[in-house]
Amino acid sequence: MNAACAPRIEAILAGDRRAVARAITALENDAPEAVDLVAALGPHLGRAHVVGITGAPGAGKSTLVNALLGVWLGQGKRVGVVAVDPSSPVTGGAVLGDRIRMTEGGAERAFIRSLASRGHLGGLSRATRGAVDVLDAAGFDTVIVETVGAGQSEVEVRGVADTTVVVCPPGLGDDVQAIKAGILEVAHLLVVNKGDSPLAERAVRDLSEMIAIRPPASWRVPVMKTTATTGDGVEALAAQIAAHSAHVGQGRRLRAHDAPGADAVAAVDGAITSRRAVRRFLPAPVARETVEAILAVASRAPSGTNTQPWKVHVVAGGAKAALSAAILDALRDEPGAHVEEYAYYPSEWVEPYRSRRRAIGTGLYGLLGIAKGDTARMRAQFARNYVFFDAPVGLVFTIDRRLERGSWLDYGMFLQSVMVAARARGLDTCPQQAFARFHRVIGRELALPPGEMVVVGMALGHADPDAPENRLATTREPVAAFAAFRGFE
């Protein structure tokens, strides 16, 4: 555990409400300490029963959560609520109306936190899982997760909850057939709320018929009717939730995490495959907290015996401008006088590497309208490396020169992690080996210790979608061209 996090973790484990609130805020804001918090809480999870409440807009989820909250508080339990509200497409904020609608939460044994979805798909917020973990570690007996109004494909709550309750409005009728392959399929309990409606009985009947044709399973999904505004059926629902908890045991959600779901796989694959070398950026700033969060995540990259050989120097604003100006002066006044301290490329190119390298140059210059032999424009384009292609943030990566090749391999995994973590946050990058040749200038401008060797630079920011150079698409060889499989049937 990071020593700086230890007092915060102790306060969370003791149930300190301020510490819990601050920890959730850190997770929601991607604060630098968030990664250490998540790791430190891991051994203390699995005590709470996490109940997901999801369903269509207008089904009465918030009112039902409030009613369940009253039942569990009446049983002497400590109850946490994580309520996700949709974000404004303009400001990114949320009305956070779920907290307004919950009136039972004033009890000392209740903790209610609203989170803005911030565009996250699946009915949750990106910080939901972390918020649940904080409340679990803080000793709450039950944690309720209420999703935004969910459609048929927004099923992420099942990966967060031990028990998933799908709330349906009355009047479903034939619509059950249209949505049964979606959100209803994740239910451990189906609830028709607003049970005093004349249409409620038909909804119960339709859902029961749908359940009846499913293959037999160890847990038979019950269909229940509630009227949350009056409390009718709510205690019976709480009893069925407890029965499901007894059936699956505490911590089902943690066991489910051992195998990533399709959403997690798609998110990781998307961050990797959408990464590209961007060569023109928008001026939109990137907050220091965001860069710190990216580096904190990337620091989980593997390294031999946990040596962690990376050092990162981050520049923005005036510091970036000064570094760029110094390098450009050296490029203009001392051409050929600066070389990197290590060999990045071979002294003689052979196939297939020569062809791949030429294809990149031909494609880039073609997009920019730079003709073959136009060395002046080629040099000008190359010089744009040293302004980080106009990105608002530049990073210079260094390594202790006493380390050997193994640490350089580790460094590559760290750099890839930085770029993937940036993509996960909607940012783009360009790794730039060109900075290595100006190590003396960089060392002087950044006051680097003599024992640090410049490895590479990197631009970080938002890609300019209208820039022709950002349309460059690189190809990759098929797996069969670079992988050999042995011993598979």
Side-chain angles (χ1 to χ4, degrees):
M1 183 194 303
N2 185 323
C5 281
R8 301 183 65 176
I9 297 300
E10 292 174 5
I12 292 169
L13 298 180
D16 182 277
R17 297 174 71 87
R18 287 188 178 182
V20 168
R22 288 169 179 165
I24 294 174
T25 298
L27 294 168
E28 190 174 20
N29 293 338
D30 258 340
E33 67 269 25
V35 174
D36 287 332
L37 278 172
V38 170
L41 291 176
H44 306 284
L45 303 182
R47 296 178 292 178
H49 179 213
V50 182
V51 181
I53 306 290
T54 190
K61 297 187 298 295
S62 296
T63 308
L64 184 59
V65 167
N66 188 54
L68 284 168
L69 184 59
V71 170
W72 284 322
L73 290 175
Q75 295 173 353
K77 294 183 177 180
R78 297 181 67 214
V79 185
V81 179
V82 178
V84 183
D85 274 304
S87 299
S88 163
V90 177
T91 67
V95 175
L96 305 181
D98 285 333
R99 177 146 53 173
I100 295 171
R101 288 188 288 271
M102 295 175 193
T103 58
E104 299 287 349
E108 182 63 27
R109 286 179 284 107
F111 185 98
I112 300 173
R113 179 63 177 256
S114 291
L115 301 177
S117 63
R118 298 187 180 181
H120 186 80
L121 302 179
L124 300 178
S125 139
R126 190 159 54 87
T128 302
R129 191 184 305 276
V132 170
D133 287 348
V134 171
L135 293 171
D136 184 355
F140 286 89
D141 302 299
T142 302
V143 178
I144 304 172
V145 178
E146 182 192 349
T147 73
V148 298
Q152 77 178 72
S153 63
E154 291 160 314
V155 297
E156 188 178 352
V157 67
R158 181 142 185 180
V160 175
D162 300 311
T163 300
T164 303
V165 179
V166 175
V167 186
C168 307
L172 282 173
D174 294 337
D175 292 339
V176 171
Q177 296 304 313
I179 64 175
K180 70 178 183 179
I183 193 170
L184 296 184
E185 295 291 328
V186 308
H188 298 119
L189 293 93
L190 286 169
V191 176
V192 177
N193 195 30
K194 305 180 181 179
D196 52 355
S197 166
L199 301 174
E201 287 298 336
R202 180 183 174 185
V204 170
R205 183 174 65 253
D206 289 342
L207 291 169
S208 298
E209 291 174 354
M210 185 192 76
I211 295 299
I213 63 175
R214 287 184 178 179
S218 61
W219 172 259
R220 192 71 172 173
V221 177
V223 180
M224 309 189 68
K225 183 173 69 173
T226 63
T227 304
T229 52
T230 65
D232 289 349
V234 176
E235 289 193 4
L237 172 60
Q240 280 287 358
I241 292 172
H244 181 262
S245 176
H247 177 77
V248 300
Q250 297 288 90
R252 188 200 72 84
R253 69 186 183 98
L254 301 176
R255 297 193 296 274
H257 293 172
D258 292 341
D263 288 345
V265 171
V268 173
D269 287 356
I272 294 172
T273 57
S274 67
R275 186 212 63 79
R276 55 189 174 139
V278 167
R279 291 177 174 85
R280 187 177 292 274
F281 289 82
L282 296 172
V286 176
R288 172 175 172 167
E289 291 77 15
T290 300
V291 181
E292 289 179 336
I294 289 169
L295 295 176
V297 171
S299 72
R300 303 301 302 178
S303 59
T305 60
N306 199 32
T307 48
Q308 305 174 62
W310 39 80
K311 297 282 187 182
V312 189
H313 306 268
V314 187
V315 292
K320 182 175 77 73
L323 177 61
S324 295
I327 294 175
L328 289 173
D329 286 346
L331 178 65
R332 182 192 65 239
D333 299 337
E334 304 170 319
H338 296 268
V339 294
E340 52 269 268
E341 294 186 89
Y342 63 91
Y344 185 73
Y345 292 119
S347 57
E348 181 179 351
W349 288 98
V350 297
E351 294 298 339
Y353 315 110
R354 179 192 294 114
S355 296
R356 293 173 185 168
R357 176 177 170 84
R358 285 177 175 171
I360 290 292
T362 300
L364 176 62
Y365 293 146
L367 289 168
L368 292 169
I370 300 176
K372 184 177 181 180
D374 190 346
T375 56
R377 291 191 64 193
M378 290 179 182
R379 287 172 181 164
Q381 174 60 27
F382 178 78
R384 283 184 44 73
N385 271 286
Y386 302 117
V387 294
F388 296 94
F389 295 116
D390 300 325
V393 176
L395 302 96
V396 175
F397 298 86
T398 63
I399 190 172
D400 187 320
R401 62 178 67 251
R402 295 169 296 182
L403 295 176
E404 295 291 347
R405 290 182 180 179
S407 292
W408 286 72
L409 296 175
D410 297 338
Y411 218 121
M413 292 184 278
F414 173 69
L415 292 171
Q416 170 74 347
S417 297
V418 170
M419 293 183 283
V420 171
R423 282 301 304 136
R425 289 159 175 79
L427 297 171
D428 293 283
T429 55
C430 184
Q432 299 165 275
Q433 191 273 339
F435 279 92
R437 69 169 61 177
F438 289 97
H439 58 89
R440 285 184 290 136
V441 178
I442 294 170
R444 181 184 70 240
E445 292 296 316
L446 301 184
L448 298 182
E452 286 188 32
M453 181 188 298
V454 174
V455 177
V456 70
M458 185 181 293
L460 172 67
H462 298 273
D464 183 344
D466 298 323
E469 57 264 54
N470 288 341
R471 296 200 298 269
L472 180 67
T474 58
T475 61
R476 294 294 186 271
E477 294 295 304
V479 172
F482 63 81
F485 295 85
R486 299 174 179 85
F488 290 85
E489 296 298 332

